[in-house]
Amino acid sequence: VQLQASGGGLIQAGGSLRLSCVASGRIFSSYDMGWFRQAPGKERQFLGGITWSSGSTYYAASVKGRFTISRDNAKNTVFLQMNSLKPEDTAVYYCAADYRGKLTTNPYYWGQGTLVTVSS
């Protein structure tokens, strides 16, 4: 499985942005897919995930209510909708996938990252 993230860019505080992650290869129902981010000088942070089979979502407390994850099964694509963006959301955003139940801690597959810069 290869993951290709896109949709990053420069946006003003308060704005919205949607990231996409296309998975090439077969995504089985046992997979979870999700998003992380890494700000300069900080550790990579789990943001949220989605269970591929059911579409159930789960989020880190820090972004719950502002960020929404969804998927398009037919296109093997997962999305991260980010609203009310803040300068502290500036980071490289990564999509990830896992079939072992370890998405939140040690995903097996990683995308290449897309940069989001939020200006004040």
Side-chain angles (χ1 to χ4, degrees), residues 34-112:
W35 293 90
F36 289 71
R37 70 183 178 189
Q38 188 166 20
K42 296 188 176 181
E43 293 187 353
R44 195 169 292 187
Q45 175 191 15
F46 170 74
L47 299 177
I50 186 165
T51 301
W52 199 253
S53 57
S54 68
S56 296
T57 55
Y58 45 100
Y59 300 92
S62 58
V63 300
K64 193 171 185 179
R66 289 196 304 128
F67 290 8
T68 302
I69 295 174
S70 60
R71 77 195 193 303
D72 183 333
N73 291 42
K75 296 182 179 180
N76 269 11
T77 301
V78 64
F79 305 98
L80 178 66
Q81 177 69 42
M82 304 184 291
N83 298 327
S84 302
L85 283 163
K86 308 172 184 179
E88 51 263 42
D89 293 317
T90 295
V92 177
Y93 284 70
Y94 299 88
C95 62
D98 193 83
Y99 57 90
R100 307 161 299 162
K102 296 184 178 181
L103 180 72
T104 63
T105 56
N106 185 26
Y108 194 81
Y109 300 105
W110 288 96
Q112 86 290 359

